Amino acid sequence: MAPPFADPGGVLRTLFAARAAHTVRELGPAQRALLDPAVQSAAAQGEALSAVAYLEAERQRAELALAMAVFHRRFDLLVTPTSAGAAPLIEGGALPASFAAPFSLTRQPAISVPMGLTSAGLPLGLQIVGRHFEEALVLRAALALERESAPLRAPPLRAS
């Protein structure tokens, strides 16, 4: 059974922008100029949000949390890949889509456990998600998986 919600990207972007705007609200122009351009952009978007748009995003976030609470009536844990692919090399490549974002929205405990390497030696992760306030169960499951998994070897270093 799949978790009961669609792509939460719009809700995430709205709430991130609102929080960015709130976080930088007391910074002067010189301090804002030192921020990462992505944070500057998100703060500007958040400053342009209406209260109605923010409250709608919060309503949708609460609906996602409720849907996951219903899901967890039947299942103690949800196990997913941590991301849609392996971590990229430091020198390049976009990060793969993360499957952690929905659970940041629903405010559930989640952990990523290393679960192997690609043929290129890049790490893959498995995410374990639990009910609200069930951090201990999530941590016990992660520990059990780590104990039963083969130790990971370090990715090969490339000569510069």
Side-chain angles (χ1 to χ4, degrees):
M1 178 175 166
F5 54 84
D7 180 10
V11 174
L12 278 167
R13 284 186 293 278
T14 298
L15 295 177
F16 179 78
R19 287 188 182 108
H22 184 264
T23 300
V24 305
R25 74 189 183 286
E26 294 181 14
L27 299 181
Q31 290 173 308
R32 283 188 180 216
L34 298 173
L35 295 172
D36 182 278
V39 174
Q40 291 176 10
S41 175
Q45 292 169 16
E47 289 164 346
L49 280 174
S50 70
V52 171
Y54 173 77
L55 290 172
E56 175 59 22
E58 272 297 332
R59 183 193 64 74
Q60 290 177 22
R61 186 206 58 74
E63 280 185 5
L64 293 174
L66 179 59
M68 284 307 300
V70 170
F71 176 85
H72 278 294
R73 287 180 190 156
R74 183 169 174 200
F75 302 99
D76 293 330
L77 297 167
L78 171 66
V79 178
T80 74
T82 300
S83 63
L89 295 172
I90 292 173
E91 306 79 54
L95 291 173
S98 169
F99 296 134
F103 311 109
S104 292
L105 273 179
T106 59
R107 301 174 182 162
Q108 292 175 256
I111 190 169
S112 178
V113 180
M115 288 309 298
L117 301 170
T118 67
S119 59
L122 298 174
L124 296 168
L126 187 73
Q127 177 177 232
I128 303 168
V129 182
R131 293 181 187 98
H132 285 115
F133 310 111
E134 297 252 349
E135 289 85 353
L137 176 61
V138 171
L139 291 171
R140 283 194 310 272
L143 180 60
L145 274 173
E146 284 185 336
R147 285 182 174 160
E148 294 301 319
S149 301
L152 297 181
R153 60 180 167 73
L157 296 176
R158 297 187 319 174
S160 304

